[in-house]
């Protein structure tokens, strides 16, 4: 089954919202659906979901088996 390209839910340091994100190649940073980049500061639990992420559709990965 295909999964969204941004499968993680993260909070960024100093942020006030939770973002949909994917892990960067370096394994430490994430790229968010709303085009931010940073080192995650937990899952952002208890924070409202980012409006910019909500306004963008989370694309489905076209790669089988990943």
């Amino acid at each position: 089954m295909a999964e969204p390209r941004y499968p993680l839910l993260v909070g960024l340091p100093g942020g006030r919202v939770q973002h949909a994100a994917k892990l960067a190649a370096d394994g430490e940073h994430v790229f968010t659906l709303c085009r931010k980049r940073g080192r995650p500061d937990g899952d952002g639990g208890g924070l409202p979901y980012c409006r910019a992420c909500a306004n963008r559709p989370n694309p489905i990965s076209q790669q089988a088996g990943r």
Side-chain angles (χ1 to χ4, degrees):
M1 187 157 129
E3 294 184 17
R5 283 193 193 166
Y6 295 82
L8 307 173
L9 291 176
V10 300
L12 296 175
R16 298 180 296 239
V17 294
Q18 184 182 49
H19 299 276
K22 66 180 178 181
L23 200 57
D26 67 7
E28 287 186 38
H29 295 87
V30 293
F31 293 105
T32 68
L33 188 54
C34 64
R35 302 184 183 186
K36 290 182 171 67
R37 181 180 186 274
R39 184 173 286 153
D41 189 24
D43 65 359
L47 297 175
Y49 191 67
C50 172
R51 275 194 222 163
C53 287
N55 289 334
R56 292 181 179 271
N58 195 341
I60 302 297
S61 176
Q62 299 300 312
Q63 298 172 337
R66 279 192 151 191

